[in-house]
Amino acid sequence: MVLLFGVVASAALTQWLAVGERQRALEQYRDFHAVERAEQLVMAADVVPLASRAAYLKVANKGSVRLELRPEAEQQPGQATEFSTALQAKLGEAFKVTPLADRPAACAKPRKPTGLFAPKQWGGTCENLDVRMQDGHVLRLLVLPPRQQPPFGEHSDWVTLLPFLISIAILAYLVTRMTMRPLKQLAQAAKDLGNDINHPPLALSGASEIRQASAAFNAMQARIRQHIFQRTQMLAAITHDLQTPLTRLRLRLEKVADSELYDRLVGDLSAMQSMVKEGLDLARSMDSTEAMQALDLDSLLDSVCSDATDAGQKVTLAGHAGMALMGRPIAMRRCLVNLIDNAVKYGQYAQVTVERITGAARIRIRDGGPGIAPDQLAKVFEPFYRIETSRSRESGGTGLGLTIARNIAEQHGATVLLSNHVDGGLEVTLIVPQYYAGK
């Protein structure tokens, strides 16, 4: 729209200037010929006998320059004009040209515009003069605006302008489309990057600036991928290498004779092993190398809830989504298991409800716990963050379950939200899109 408006405004300004210049040229041309015509009339009337002068003037007065007998009413003289000076110079000293103060009424009469940019008033010479002949007789010289053309071409400007506007609109649309297509591809690539770090690089196309931006984006994606890979490998290596000394420690604890000390050391060791295991799970949640495939959401939920029930957890499932999604099976299962385990661990039970909404499925997991303070709803997604009341060995929490679940959800374009239910308990809402953009 900006391009179209700019081109149309420029074209309108150019047309207005062209019409104005054409009008000025026309006025100058008519002014020149008006002086010539006035000189001819005065010279011809001067040689005609006084008795025949009125008849001559009646026949000769045609066009916009008219020479008439002076009316009885006197008029005040005015200041000399460019036209009166030029006419006086042509006639010579034998004639006396006197401009009058009152201009003809036709000079101020508005004219009907003949075009879109045509002026509404004549801007050329329009004079009222007295000319004293060589015999002393005074005649009235009127220089009037030219007669207006008949309105047969009244809409010619619009007929000419309409194809121009249509062609400019088409051109602006094509240019804008060619310019915006690479930008849309870049925006889509940025969206895909948030869902899948291993998405193929962006093709370099468009203007040089767009190609430079695309190349910089591809380089950024490669650096981010390398950074995540190195961090994941480092975390996986640390957590994996810790398994061996922890196992040795558990074996050596068998030699501790003090039963109370033994129980405390075993509890601490179990907590460390649990943290190492979930650290390894956190590293795996950042790994997006698992192949994407179509998943039936209802079957996946039924399988996860059935496994939880078989393990002795109080889990119920209600609702039906009736849709498929593109996802990584192991990762999605881990996400749902973590959310359900978190609900059972801190809320004694998990009520899972699924429903289909526009373009997505909404999964609600509600527990019977005390809920979470509003100022901590966002903090519980941070790694190793635990609510103060849950810091106990009985709970077994390490503060990584929700972090892992959110990482996996974001890789699938899903959203995880926490809220306290009005009737008590925490409700986790997982919104999974039906069509994953990175598939």
Side-chain angles (χ1 to χ4, degrees):
M1 291 301 296
V2 172
L3 178 62
L4 179 61
F5 176 78
V7 173
V8 171
S10 301
L13 178 61
T14 303
Q15 181 69 7
W16 178 73
L17 292 175
V19 170
E21 184 63 28
R22 183 181 64 184
Q23 185 69 19
R24 283 191 295 272
L26 179 61
E27 291 170 357
Q28 292 175 0
Y29 175 80
R30 286 187 173 273
D31 291 349
F32 172 78
H33 282 274
V35 175
E36 297 288 333
R37 177 61 179 166
E39 180 192 7
Q40 294 173 2
L41 284 175
V42 172
M43 288 297 188
D46 186 62
V47 299
V48 174
L50 187 59
S52 303
R53 190 169 288 173
Y56 165 74
L57 294 177
K58 186 177 180 180
V59 176
N61 280 334
K62 294 180 180 180
S64 58
V65 181
R66 306 176 66 85
L67 189 62
E68 301 174 351
L69 299 178
R70 187 175 67 169
E72 296 293 335
E74 293 288 338
Q75 292 188 2
Q76 294 293 329
Q79 296 181 352
T81 62
E82 185 178 350
F83 181 85
S84 64
T85 303
L87 182 59
Q88 181 66 68
K90 281 185 170 291
L91 294 176
E93 297 180 357
F95 297 86
K96 177 62 177 177
V97 178
T98 303
L100 301 178
D102 295 334
R103 302 179 70 196
C107 298
K109 185 178 181 180
R111 299 164 61 88
K112 186 176 182 180
T114 56
L116 185 61
F117 300 97
K120 295 183 178 180
Q121 199 167 8
W122 172 252
T125 299
C126 191
E127 299 282 346
N128 193 5
L129 309 101
D130 281 347
V131 180
R132 183 174 57 81
M133 314 297 287
Q134 295 188 63
D135 57 4
H137 187 248
V138 179
L139 297 178
R140 179 65 51 82
L141 179 65
L142 300 174
V143 182
L144 305 175
R147 288 180 298 179
Q148 197 167 0
Q149 298 263 339
F152 60 86
E154 183 177 354
H155 302 288
S156 59
D157 283 352
W158 286 108
V159 173
T160 305
L161 192 60
L162 188 59
F164 173 77
L165 293 177
I166 294 176
S167 61
I168 289 297
I170 295 175
L171 179 62
Y173 172 76
L174 294 177
V175 171
T176 306
R177 185 178 178 85
M178 289 189 302
T179 305
M180 295 304 297
R181 185 185 296 113
L183 293 178
K184 289 182 178 180
Q185 293 175 352
L186 184 60
Q188 184 62 41
K191 183 179 179 181
D192 295 338
L193 177 63
N195 296 327
D196 183 9
I197 192 62
N198 295 314
H199 195 271
L202 184 63
L204 303 182
S205 61
S208 59
E209 293 81 3
I210 302 296
R211 291 197 300 270
Q212 291 176 3
S214 300
F217 179 86
N218 291 337
M220 178 194 68
Q221 180 181 1
R223 289 194 297 269
I224 294 176
R225 185 189 299 116
Q226 182 66 19
H227 173 72
I228 293 178
F229 176 76
Q230 292 176 352
R231 188 182 68 171
T232 304
Q233 289 294 101
M234 179 182 64
L235 182 59
I238 292 175
T239 54
H240 182 271
D241 292 344
L242 283 175
Q243 294 281 3
T244 301
L246 289 175
T247 303
R248 288 200 300 265
L249 284 175
R250 181 175 288 276
L251 293 175
R252 290 171 182 174
L253 284 178
E254 300 296 333
K255 298 179 181 181
V256 177
D258 190 339
S259 59
E260 182 178 357
L261 177 61
Y262 174 80
D263 292 339
R264 290 181 179 179
L265 291 176
V266 169
D268 291 339
L269 189 60
S270 298
M272 292 178 62
Q273 286 181 322
S274 178
M275 291 182 63
V276 169
K277 178 181 179 299
E278 293 210 15
L280 187 59
D281 290 340
L282 177 62
R284 290 171 178 169
S285 71
M286 303 175 190
D287 185 15
S288 57
T289 57
E290 185 185 359
M292 301 283 291
Q293 57 181 280
L295 301 175
D296 184 85
L297 183 59
D298 293 319
S299 299
L300 180 61
L301 280 172
D302 182 70
S303 174
V304 171
C305 293
S306 297
D307 292 345
T309 303
D310 294 341
Q313 296 178 334
K314 295 181 180 180
V315 180
T316 59
L317 175 62
H320 180 74
M323 57 166 271
L325 64 122
M326 293 298 295
R328 301 177 178 91
I330 298 178
M332 283 301 299
R333 173 177 285 272
R334 184 182 299 124
C335 174
L336 294 171
V337 167
N338 281 12
L339 294 178
I340 293 176
D341 285 347
N342 189 79
V344 174
K345 187 181 299 180
Y346 301 112
Q348 290 78 46
Y349 63 85
Q351 294 179 350
V352 183
T353 305
V354 60
E355 60 180 337
R356 185 171 182 174
I357 58 178
T358 304
R362 180 163 53 202
I363 304 171
R364 292 190 177 99
I365 303 175
R366 182 185 172 188
D367 60 38
I372 300 177
D375 59 339
Q376 294 183 331
L377 288 175
K379 293 181 180 179
V380 294
F381 288 108
E382 298 176 2
F384 301 105
Y385 182 85
R386 296 172 61 196
I387 301 175
E388 187 65 26
T389 56
S390 69
R391 293 184 179 272
S392 64
R393 288 196 177 100
E394 288 75 14
S395 67
T398 60
L400 292 177
L402 290 179
T403 304
I404 295 172
R406 187 183 63 174
N407 287 346
I408 296 174
E410 289 179 347
Q411 290 179 6
H412 290 78
T415 305
V416 180
L417 303 173
L418 297 181
S419 62
N420 292 308
H421 202 273
V422 292
D423 297 331
L426 182 70
E427 184 174 80
V428 181
T429 302
L430 177 64
I431 300 177
V432 184
Q434 182 174 4
Y435 298 105
Y436 171 51
K439 65 184 178 180

